[in-house]
Amino acid sequence: MPSCVPREDARYFGGAIPTMVLHSAEAVVQLPSFRLLPGGRPSTCSGWELIPGVTFSMVEGPGRFRLMVEGITHRDEVDERFAWLSAVDRAGGAVVVVIHSLDTPYAYEWGALAESGRARGGYMPVIRRSR
């Protein structure tokens, strides 16, 4: 089980429900299988939370499981990163999906990810930081 996902193994997508797709050669068996609810929305990962950030994000789950995902590494990524973080803030969370390969043609489509039976994850609410 990985404890850190490097930046090159993460993809970020905006939208009404933003998505973070992660590649891991090792299975993240702690996450539930990725499923869609009637209506096409991803199921919620019960007990899981997302702490999004600029330089890294944390995925925290039951049993003290934590997965750190590296964030931006170059200045030219700042605008895109802040746009994704704003989308996550508006949605109150994001869909986090772990797959075996980012090169698969279905890596960015919820329906295909659910049908593959190999993706793990779902919707995770954001932990709000006090200011």
Side-chain angles (χ1 to χ4, degrees):
M1 124 187 99
S3 59
C4 180
V5 175
R7 170 66 183 103
E8 59 272 8
D9 289 340
R11 303 288 183 272
Y12 301 89
F13 303 95
I17 304 176
T19 302
M20 178 169 58
V21 178
L22 307 173
H23 163 260
S24 175
E26 299 176 57
V28 182
V29 296
Q30 295 82 356
L31 282 167
S33 293
F34 185 75
R35 299 182 297 108
L36 295 181
L37 300 171
R41 291 180 62 115
S43 61
T44 298
C45 290
S46 236
W48 290 82
E49 298 173 310
L50 173 66
I51 305 169
V54 175
T55 57
F56 68 93
S57 294
M58 291 292 292
V59 174
E60 293 189 353
R64 304 181 71 133
F65 177 83
R66 290 192 175 115
L67 180 63
M68 186 183 90
V69 182
E70 293 178 351
I72 65 171
T73 56
H74 299 84
R75 280 187 244 169
D76 58 347
E77 298 173 315
V78 170
D79 291 340
E80 182 179 324
R81 183 60 167 199
F82 277 110
W84 188 80
L85 290 170
S86 292
V88 171
D89 190 48
R90 281 190 305 277
V95 173
V96 178
V97 182
V98 180
I99 59 176
H100 184 66
S101 173
L102 290 174
D103 295 330
T104 58
Y106 60 83
Y108 315 109
E109 299 173 14
W110 289 344
L113 286 169
E115 288 176 14
S116 77
R118 298 182 67 193
R120 301 191 75 83
Y123 177 80
M124 296 180 193
V126 169
I127 294 177
R128 302 275 184 199
R129 294 183 178 153
S130 60
R131 294 180 184 200

